[in-house]
Amino acid sequence: MRKIFLLFGVAVIMMMSSSCNTIYHKIKYSNKSIEISNNCENEELDFKLISLIGDKKEQTIVLNGRFINRDVNKDLRVGGNLIAYDTEGVPHNSNRSTQYEALTDKKVYFSLEIPGKAVPRKVKKMAIIAFDIDNCRVELRNVPIIWKKIKDEKK
């Protein structure tokens, strides 16, 4: 009987720790200090920031987002004219973009690598990230970076 209670207790603790981490990320990205500007929001494109994840070992940053095309089916290029500055004032700019198939009213998830490296101990936020989704400009300000160790998938 004690073994059953022990197993049950371990299972509950593991579930709570994983859900606490998820709740922390949701709170961090519902922060009112994050400013999101999308110049096509009222017409044809809805954008949502999912996360900004930093890899502690590689010192790289990846933006995860989602958009919904409210116009006719088309292919959209994401990430063009990327301009980003961290809180230390270091620029992270690129003109590389990726094409995604955007069906009407369907969610499209994407990842956008922020070029360059950043020191996790010093850089806790990106002061500005601006990029194009097709011909719409998306601008984010004061976005916190979730620094974590990302497991090596090659092993």
Side-chain angles (χ1 to χ4, degrees):
M1 191 61 135
R2 289 186 351 187
K3 288 182 183 180
I4 293 173
F5 284 126
L6 180 62
L7 288 174
F8 179 73
V10 169
V12 168
I13 290 171
M14 289 178 65
M15 234 176 18
M16 286 178 51
S17 67
S18 68
S19 65
C20 287
N21 196 18
T22 303
I23 291 169
Y24 169 73
H25 288 210
K26 285 183 180 180
I27 289 171
K28 198 164 188 175
Y29 283 96
S30 65
N31 187 342
K32 291 183 178 150
S33 68
I34 298 174
E35 298 174 32
I36 300 176
S37 170
N38 172 9
N39 67 352
C40 296
E41 169 175 72
N42 297 329
E43 300 168 18
E44 59 191 52
L45 187 76
D46 294 335
F47 167 80
K48 181 176 182 185
L49 172 67
I50 304 296
S51 64
L52 188 60
I53 305 294
D55 184 339
K56 281 186 174 181
K57 181 179 179 189
E58 298 296 323
Q59 297 180 336
T60 57
I61 304 167
V62 175
L63 180 140
N64 297 301
R66 181 198 83 201
F67 66 86
I68 300 173
N69 175 28
R70 301 290 183 196
D71 203 1
V72 297
N73 296 342
K74 57 185 168 182
D75 291 336
L76 297 178
R77 298 203 68 77
V78 176
N81 299 318
L82 173 73
I83 298 171
Y85 287 91
D86 60 33
T87 52
E88 295 289 306
V90 177
H92 302 267
N93 303 331
S94 171
N95 204 16
R96 198 175 81 210
S97 63
T98 305
Q99 187 167 313
Y100 293 89
E101 181 181 24
L103 302 176
T104 304
D105 294 332
K106 299 291 181 186
K107 295 176 183 177
V108 178
Y109 292 89
F110 68 92
S111 293
L112 182 62
E113 187 174 326
I114 308 296
K117 296 192 180 246
V119 179
R121 185 173 32 92
K122 292 181 180 179
V123 179
K124 303 292 184 197
K125 286 184 177 185
M126 290 300 285
I128 185 168
I129 302 171
F131 60 94
D132 294 337
I133 298 179
D134 203 29
N135 54 357
C136 295
R137 190 76 175 159
V138 175
E139 186 175 305
L140 312 166
R141 293 183 180 268
N142 303 319
V143 183
I145 302 169
I146 298 171
W147 289 102
K148 60 184 183 179
K149 293 181 184 177
I150 298 175
K151 296 177 182 170
D152 189 10
E153 296 177 8
K154 295 176 185 176
K155 291 182 180 179

